[in-house]
Amino acid sequence: MDEPCAALGPAETRMVLDTIKRLKAEGIGIFLISHEMHDVFEVCERATVMKNGALVGTVLTKDVNAGRRPGNDHPGNTPAKALAA
């Protein structure tokens, strides 16, 4: 799913995330592309960051502070440093 909640309001976003959780519980794998990190941390077990088409890294979401966003608000301004923190 590529940015499934990008143009949705809060109620519609909740419906999409709940659907993803239900599919996950049924054993269906989901590939989610999103810049909304709170959505990623809510429904994903792992997060992979890519930059300029190259793989930066993959982490377990439980091992990363969900309140932090890779990117502009981190020292060094790189997703890799944000995920490594």
Side-chain angles (χ1 to χ4, degrees), residues 1 4-5 8-23 39 42-43:
M1 298 180 172
C5 302
L8 303 180
E12 294 85 5
T13 296
R14 173 60 28 222
M15 288 173 37
V16 170
L17 296 178
D18 288 347
T19 299
I20 293 171
K21 287 180 186 178
R22 182 179 51 78
L23 294 170
D39 293 351
E42 183 173 337
V43 299

Side-chain angles (χ1 to χ4, degrees), residues 1-2 9 15 24 26 29 31 34-35 51 53 69 76 78-79 82:
M1 298 180 172
D2 187 3
M15 288 173 37
K24 179 180 170 183
E26 293 175 12
F31 187 82
S34 181
H35 67 280
K51 182 175 182 179
R69 288 183 48 206
T78 65

Side-chain angles (χ1 to χ4, degrees), residues 3-6 8-14 17-18 20-21 32-47 61 64-70 73:
E3 299 282 355
C5 302
L8 303 180
E12 294 85 5
T13 296
R14 173 60 28 222
L17 296 178
D18 288 347
I20 293 171
K21 287 180 186 178
L32 176 68
I33 299 168
S34 181
H35 67 280
E36 297 292 347
M37 296 309 290
H38 52 87
D39 293 351
V40 171
F41 283 99
E42 183 173 337
V43 299
C44 298
E45 295 173 9
R46 290 181 299 277
T61 53
V64 180
N65 180 343
R68 299 175 75 184
R69 288 183 48 206
D73 56 348

